[in-house]
Amino acid sequence: MAVVISSSGNSPAFEGKMTVYVFICVVIAAVGGLIFGYDIGISGGVSAMDSFLEEFFPSVYERKKLAHENNYCKYDNQVLQLFTSSLYLAALVASFFASATCSKLGRKPTMQFASIFFIIGVGLAAGAVNMYMLIIGRILLGFGVGFGNQAVPLFLSEIAPAKIRGGLNIVFQLMITIGILIANIVNYFTSSIHPYGWRLALGGAGVPALILLFGSLLICETPTSLIERNKLEEGKKTLKKIRGVDNVEEEFRSIVNACDFARQVKAPYRKLMKPESRPPLVIGLLLQFFQQFTGINAIMFYAPVLFQTVGFGNDAALLSAVITGTINVLSTFVGIYLVDKTGRRFLLLQSSVHMLVCQLVIGIILAKDLGVTGTLGRGEALVVVIFVCFYVMGFAWSWGPLGWLIPSETFPVETRTEGFALAVSCNMFFTFVIAQAFLSMLCGMKSGIFFFFSAWIVVMGLFALFFVPETKGVSIDDMRDSVWKPHWYWKRFMRQEDDHDVERRSTRAF
């Protein structure tokens, strides 16, 4: 039975329903997020494995064995951090190539390219016999991440009905959290397999990469991408298929009109620099910056290392990381349920307070009770793990998924792939910065690093309060009229665009 997919404000209502085929497409495409999550989770565990350190980072391995090692500095090594961060630097560069591929070839081929990069990168990294192979493998994995993270959120936003777009898009973040959890479990079991447990851990990413490659053969291209490339009949046919109804004329015309307007924009990156593009661009870029400066990836990359720092043994640290990974997955389901009910803003604001309290408690305990040497008492260490879990909860239902959702749904079609490419590259850049710098920051700032991230959480909460509008239920091609024009601050940029339109029409009249 068809339902009317309506949205708030002045946004039009379109007929459609949630179909089994759309669900299959969402799950297959979101496997790209699972690979990304696996790469996030696996690197920290592998970095703590003795057999890996002994083969590639013997100086770190020797420092780790010292009886009175420095709790905060035992893993401080720039090359070791490069092992983790090189992936994200490569993803930054790849996102711009992926943007062009998305526009010229479509979202589906871009995901297929991502899976091929993943498969080759996994083979090199898992089979590495020297540092060069290891880093080149990570760089190719980074290209896979860049292509996958560019295509998948756009794909999900474009095939989802407006009413449930938020929940379907968050499946991408759900898959990231499942990937992190699987990586933590793999780390736990492979850490005791010597001397090649780390090879098994790194090689595990090949499984979801193969699923994405062959699964992508079953999914469709998005109607927007097809219409954008002048495949109107195919686009209309696909729209009927994913909406499950024959009456798609109104939505079809809406997409055609948006794409017709987009074709008039010959230089989309220049268009992004104009005032009318400022609201989605500024919000998209700052959400990526704030997402990383919550400190989440510092914790998820190096969870095993962090738990060893506060006094857990190697196996106990990896097990604790599995627990936080499970919390991450379960909490993302909360986000899926709430995002289209409470809206985006509520989740951003609630979690800012939530995460701030957790970071402050962790920082205070470490500052008070964890010296340069020695360990925390059993009770204090347990409190740290509990508050890390609470912190992960808050992130998993808010800044984690919404950092991908909001930019993917707010750019107009004429700058959508380019704008989202900038957002992805910004995310990868700051992920690289955190991955490359965290262990050195931990060594230099010690417990102060948690207060550093706390300060940023205050800033991002204020930004969400004053500058992030609600996009719940608004059609993806109606953001300008329903979201930006009514907003107390961003409407001034829309007025500038209207003034320019009047001026252009007046010029043509003469």
Side-chain angles (χ1 to χ4, degrees):
M1 178 180 175
V3 296
V4 173
I5 303 299
S6 74
S7 43
S8 61
N10 301 315
S11 185
F14 302 126
E15 281 195 42
K17 60 184 178 181
M18 179 62 188
T19 63
V20 173
Y21 182 69
V22 167
F23 178 78
I24 292 171
C25 288
V26 166
V27 172
I28 290 174
V31 170
L34 191 147
I35 305 171
F36 182 37
Y38 188 90
D39 284 322
I40 290 174
I42 210 70
S43 55
V46 168
S47 298
M49 291 184 188
D50 289 345
S51 55
F52 175 78
L53 293 174
E54 196 172 6
E55 182 157 352
F56 292 102
F57 303 97
S59 62
V60 178
Y61 176 68
E62 291 300 322
R63 195 186 313 156
K64 181 182 175 184
K65 290 195 303 181
L66 294 176
H68 298 291
E69 59 193 355
N70 186 312
N71 279 320
Y72 294 100
C73 298
K74 59 186 174 183
Y75 291 100
D76 180 22
N77 181 285
Q78 286 297 311
V79 182
L80 177 59
Q81 291 173 109
L82 184 63
F83 161 71
T84 296
S85 64
S86 57
L87 184 151
Y88 305 99
L89 191 59
L92 187 160
V93 176
S95 62
F96 291 101
F97 293 100
S99 169
T101 306
C102 263
S103 295
K104 303 294 184 186
L105 301 180
R107 284 52 161 160
K108 177 178 172 177
T110 306
M111 287 188 275
Q112 292 170 331
F113 280 125
S115 61
I116 292 169
F117 281 125
F118 281 130
I119 292 166
I120 298 172
V122 164
L124 284 173
V129 294
N130 55 51
M131 185 66 69
Y132 296 107
M133 280 185 69
L134 189 68
I135 298 299
I136 291 171
R138 293 287 290 177
I139 288 172
L140 287 173
L141 284 169
F143 269 76
V145 167
F147 273 68
N149 286 15
Q150 170 71 22
V152 173
L154 289 178
F155 178 88
L156 297 178
S157 285
E158 289 177 350
I159 69 166
K163 188 177 180 181
I164 54 173
R165 185 179 62 243
L168 289 186
N169 192 285
I170 290 180
V171 174
F172 176 68
Q173 177 68 18
L174 174 65
M175 285 295 202
I176 292 177
T177 63
I178 291 173
I180 293 171
L181 174 60
I182 292 172
N184 288 332
I185 294 170
V186 169
N187 281 333
Y188 179 71
F189 286 106
T190 57
S191 64
S192 57
I193 302 175
H194 301 289
Y196 55 85
W198 64 271
R199 295 187 187 276
L200 295 175
L202 292 178
V207 176
L210 288 170
I211 293 173
L212 180 61
L213 178 62
F214 291 107
S216 65
L217 301 176
L218 303 175
I219 66 178
C220 63
E221 184 55 85
T222 71
T224 300
S225 178
L226 291 167
I227 294 168
E228 193 177 22
R229 290 178 287 127
N230 285 313
K231 299 181 179 182
L232 300 185
E233 286 305 313
E234 191 178 346
K236 191 171 187 177
K237 182 179 177 181
T238 301
L239 189 60
K240 289 180 180 180
K241 185 175 183 178
I242 64 175
R243 294 293 178 257
V245 296
D246 289 327
N247 184 18
V248 296
E249 194 61 36
E250 192 174 354
E251 184 173 4
F252 175 70
R253 292 311 313 168
S254 174
I255 297 173
V256 169
N257 290 338
C259 290
D260 285 343
F261 180 76
R263 290 189 192 97
Q264 299 173 24
V265 178
K266 303 302 181 184
Y269 281 108
R270 190 180 303 168
K271 170 80 171 175
L272 278 171
M273 298 301 111
K274 292 186 176 181
E276 62 267 24
S277 298
R278 202 158 296 160
L281 181 64
V282 170
I283 290 174
L285 296 182
L286 284 180
L287 282 177
Q288 308 309 314
F289 172 83
F290 290 138
Q291 188 191 69
Q292 296 312 309
F293 277 77
T294 59
I296 185 64
N297 277 346
I299 286 178
M300 299 312 290
F301 286 149
Y302 301 111
V305 173
L306 180 64
F307 289 133
Q308 283 189 36
T309 295
V310 300
F312 289 84
N314 188 50
D315 287 346
L318 287 172
L319 184 59
S320 298
V322 170
I323 293 170
T324 58
T326 303
I327 296 291
N328 199 10
V329 172
L330 296 177
S331 300
T332 305
F333 280 106
V334 176
I336 291 174
Y337 177 77
L338 290 178
V339 68
D340 289 313
K341 295 183 182 296
T342 65
R344 284 69 159 151
R345 271 172 53 83
F346 172 81
L347 293 177
L348 291 175
L349 295 172
Q350 180 278 330
S351 64
S352 294
V353 176
H354 180 133
M355 291 189 293
L356 176 63
V357 172
C358 294
Q359 288 273 25
L360 289 174
V361 170
I362 294 169
I364 289 168
I365 291 174
L366 296 187
K368 178 173 172 288
D369 296 320
L370 184 65
V372 172
T373 58
T375 61
L376 287 178
R378 188 180 186 87
E380 290 94 337
L382 184 59
V383 171
V384 168
V385 171
I386 290 172
F387 273 91
V388 166
C389 289
F390 277 120
Y391 166 82
V392 169
M393 277 184 196
F395 180 86
W397 63 55
S398 60
W399 288 88
L402 297 181
W404 297 108
L405 168 60
I406 294 174
S408 74
E409 67 182 3
T410 51
F411 285 103
V413 68
E414 66 267 21
T415 56
R416 188 169 298 156
T417 58
E418 292 79 10
F420 195 67
L422 288 176
V424 171
S425 63
C426 183
N427 184 286
M428 293 301 114
F429 175 74
F430 288 110
T431 304
F432 165 77
V433 169
I434 293 296
Q436 186 63 30
F438 175 70
L439 294 179
S440 297
M441 290 170 68
L442 184 63
C443 179
M445 299 173 70
K446 300 179 174 56
S447 59
I449 194 168
F450 293 95
F451 300 110
F452 170 80
F453 288 128
S454 296
W456 281 112
I457 290 174
V458 172
V459 173
M460 68 196 230
L462 292 173
F463 175 77
L465 178 63
F466 292 108
F467 296 105
V468 179
E470 184 55 69
T471 56
K472 179 185 72 170
V474 181
S475 171
I476 193 169
D477 292 312
D478 196 50
M479 292 291 169
R480 182 178 181 273
D481 290 331
S482 297
V483 173
W484 307 124
K485 278 188 172 181
H487 190 269
W488 74 273
Y489 180 76
W490 299 121
K491 65 183 179 183
R492 68 190 66 186
F493 299 102
M494 299 300 107
R495 281 202 300 267
Q496 290 180 39
E497 182 185 25
D498 292 339
D499 292 342
H500 290 156
D501 287 341
V502 171
E503 185 178 337
R504 282 195 295 269
R505 284 194 294 270
S506 301
T507 303
R508 283 199 296 268
F510 286 103

